[in-house]
Amino acid sequence: MRDSELLTAADIPLMQGLAQRVTETRPDVISAGASYGELAWVWGQGRALYGATWPRRLWFSGDELVAWGWAFLPRRVRRNDGSVTDVTGASLSYQVHPDHAELVDEVIEWYDSVAAGLARTVLPTAAEEFALKRWAAHGYEADVEALGYAGDWTQLNERDLTDVEQPVLPAGFRFRTADEAGPEAAVRAHVDAWTPSAYTAQSYDDVRQTAAYRGDLHVLVEAPDGTMASSTIMWLDKANKTVEFEPVGTHPDYRRRGLARAMMLHGMHLARAAGATHATVVCLGAPGHPAARGLYYGLGFRELSRDAPLIKTAG
């Protein structure tokens, strides 16, 4: 076990290594934020802005990482439209190897110590039966708001890549990669799709510095007027021959034209050429958020696992 410190770039490959080992045998217990691609994405896009509020702890068996906790403490979020949000509670991403399930108690105790006095949330998966019992024993309860009709819990979806249809774009649109389009276009595509957004050129630079990022697997759709109308990053886990789409977004003015569908089909062909045989993508799972789920189901994805959001009130 290593004492609590702020998360560093060197920690991410270690955590991704654990994600790969867990994915190999129990992909249904990959906690929210703990997948191979999500770790790189969340670290890169938020490091410069929020890294000072990201304590973490690592647990080892010999030289092998077997558990980790990454806490997100109170912070101020400033977006490109001038809006500001003060996040006053804490949240946690974590992963415990199934062979070391007993460490979940240490993860919980560590989280309670670094987030003492704050409202605390965490997102284990519904398949983590032992962990769910331990969280309950430490005073965590189902997060009713997160589980509501318009709640923010997520589900992980999967499909194989043995039979992928050919993508079709509207006339005048074309596929690009971030390597071809350049950093400015890649940043603009993300900000346009997710506005208002805190994403910046520095965010993208940090994303690109992660070992898992590949510019040839960062796909965009360019409109006839040069606007980058849709974009996604694919994260290739070579050990498991799987690719993860994260994020996936389309400019509001170009939605409902089939661009995201075509882009993901094109991406699946690129991923297969790169050695992937399997693909995953996360979406909001609550009934009040049907759009992304409908897109992914229409592409042949089906649910693999889902969050079981928990909360512990302040004090």
Side-chain angles (χ1 to χ4, degrees), residues 30 70 93 133 156 159 170 193 221 228 249 252 261 287 305:
I30 292 289
W70 174 2
S93 287
K133 292 177 182 177
L156 176 64
R159 63 155 290 173
V221 175
M228 294 301 166
R261 175 184 175 82
S305 63

Side-chain angles (χ1 to χ4, degrees), residues 116-167:
L118 302 172
R120 278 153 269 171
T121 59
V122 63
L123 296 172
T125 72
E128 295 179 75
E129 295 181 2
F130 176 78
L132 288 171
K133 292 177 182 177
R134 299 316 305 152
W135 283 104
H138 285 267
Y140 287 78
E141 301 176 340
D143 188 338
V144 176
E145 182 177 352
L147 287 167
Y149 179 81
D152 59 1
W153 63 272
T154 63
Q155 66 181 58
L156 176 64
N157 308 288
E158 66 170 352
R159 63 155 290 173
D160 65 49
L161 298 179
T162 55
D163 185 18
V164 181
E165 66 182 275
Q166 292 299 319

